Amino acid sequence: MPLETTTKNETAEMPDPYLEARQLAESGDYDQALVLLNSHLENKPDDAEAVNDIGAILFAQGQTEQAIEHFENANQLCVNRAEILWNLCEAYLSCGHGLKAAELFAQMEKIGILNPEVLNRTANVLLQNEQLCQAVDMLEWSLRIAPDQQEILEPILTIIQSKMTPEG
């Protein structure tokens, strides 16, 4: 029995598993999307976008620690990619890992996606973890980025600093 061959036209009509996975994820069929994305990664294990997409699906399903692993892997595969950095930052903050999120800020600033809002949310997480010095650092950074838009931060900084011990 001869092997069947696929013509160029037939290949063009075959669905792309990666695109199909994205469509499934967008329609809320996360489980099937994960199956297709994992299948896609068997052939293209260095596809940072697909790894990031798996992380996004896991995050949407509330599996944040697993999502973080995927976002970290995606960030290693493709350094300084805005979507990946942002997703990783959001996942860290949702788990209360303010210092881990802050480790991304130099990269985020370098590519122009760091903003006062994420710095302020990170400061809030750090305050909840009683990491006052680091929270102050985030708020001061936020003020440097947008000094005229955050008048409320000056009194907040004063209050936080008054609660700090000399050791920090």
Side-chain angles (χ1 to χ4, degrees), residues 59-119:
F59 187 73
Q61 292 180 320
Q63 299 176 52
T64 308
E65 293 297 335
Q66 289 178 327
I68 287 172
E69 290 177 26
H70 282 81
F71 295 143
E72 288 173 339
N73 290 340
N75 191 41
Q76 289 175 356
L77 291 169
C78 186
V79 177
N80 291 335
R81 180 137 183 223
E83 181 180 7
I84 294 169
L85 286 169
W86 195 263
N87 287 345
L88 183 54
C89 180
E90 290 295 336
Y92 282 150
L93 290 176
S94 75
C95 288
H97 301 314
L99 292 177
K100 294 286 253 177
E103 290 174 7
L104 302 172
F105 292 165
Q107 282 179 274
M108 293 172 75
E109 187 172 47
K110 180 179 179 181
I111 62 172
I113 63 169
L114 186 63
N115 62 49
E117 187 269 338
V118 76
L119 288 164

Side-chain angles (χ1 to χ4, degrees), residues 12 22 27 44 47 49-50 53 59-60 62 83 85 88-89 94 103 124 131-132 135 148 154 158 168:
R22 289 191 64 139
S27 69
K44 295 182 179 178
D47 186 342
E49 189 173 349
D53 289 343
F59 187 73
E83 181 180 7
L85 286 169
L88 183 54
C89 180
S94 75
E103 290 174 7
N124 188 49
Q131 296 168 308
L132 304 183
D148 298 331
E154 290 292 341
T158 302

Side-chain angles (χ1 to χ4, degrees), residues 9-36:
N9 288 340
E10 289 173 337
T11 303
E13 293 173 12
M14 293 175 62
D16 179 349
Y18 177 71
L19 294 177
E20 187 178 348
R22 289 191 64 139
Q23 290 170 344
L24 287 166
E26 288 172 10
S27 69
D29 190 351
Y30 297 136
D31 293 334
Q32 187 59 34
L34 285 172
V35 168
L36 289 176

